[in-house]
Structures are given as structure tokens and as C-alpha cells.
Amino acid sequence: MLSKAIMNEEHNSQVSIFVGNLNIQCVEINLHDAFSLYGTINNIRIMRSRKNISLGYGFVAMGSNQETQAAIEGLNGTVLLGRSLRLSISL
């Protein structure tokens, strides 16, 4: 089912991964270290409040649809900084 969602995307569009349930202490390098095991990372963004406090979620854009699928399958439910990650396709 995941691969169908990715395959339905246009070839030139970049699919981002929604990363939820982040520890508020999580910074971009933590996500980079986890996601880089699955391929090239094009962008990482952790959403923050106006006071620069993490909102507990972010987005990661991988280099290809195959890398996106591998990262979601490999990291969904894994623990990062004491929190179980919730990953899904961000359309």
C-alpha cells in the first residue's frame, strides 16, 4: 500500500515523509543520523513555535521514492530520543 502511494506521485515531484511524535529535544542532526542510513536526504525540517520550541513533528525529503519507502519501512515505530517515531507519506 505504501509503495502505491509513492508510485502515484508524479515522477518529478518530491515526496516528503511526515515524522511525528518527536522528542522536543530532537534537532535536525538527530533526524539526519537516522534517515541517512536509507539514502540521500534532500531536506529536513522540524516544525517550531515562534519561541523556537519544537512542535513535535517535522518533515524529511529523501533523494528518491525508493529511499522514501525504505526509510518509512525501516524507521516507523523505532525509538529516537525516547519517543516512538510515527512516519507517513506527506502529500
Side-chain angles (χ1 to χ4, degrees):
M1 186 159 118
L2 175 63
S3 60
K4 283 185 181 180
I6 292 173
M7 296 298 278
N8 287 335
E9 289 296 304
E10 292 182 24
H11 295 287
N12 294 330
S13 66
Q14 186 174 18
V15 178
S16 291
I17 301 169
F18 170 82
V19 184
N21 201 35
L22 291 175
N23 184 311
I24 63 169
Q25 301 297 321
C26 185
V27 293
E28 285 77 0
I29 193 68
N30 301 126
L31 291 180
H32 183 276
D33 289 347
F35 280 83
S36 65
L37 299 173
Y38 297 93
T40 303
I41 298 170
N42 290 339
N43 189 37
I44 296 175
R45 183 166 184 204
I46 295 176
M47 305 309 292
R48 300 184 183 282
S49 71
R50 292 181 184 188
K51 294 183 179 184
N52 203 31
I53 298 170
S54 172
L55 296 175
Y57 70 95
F59 300 91
V60 176
M62 302 296 291
S64 71
N65 291 344
Q66 293 79 14
E67 292 170 340
T68 298
Q69 183 174 351
I72 291 173
E73 291 173 358
L75 292 173
N76 190 37
T78 62
V79 176
L80 180 65
L81 299 175
R83 303 287 301 263
S84 179
L85 297 178
R86 302 287 179 242
L87 277 56
S88 62
I89 294 291
S90 174
L91 300 176

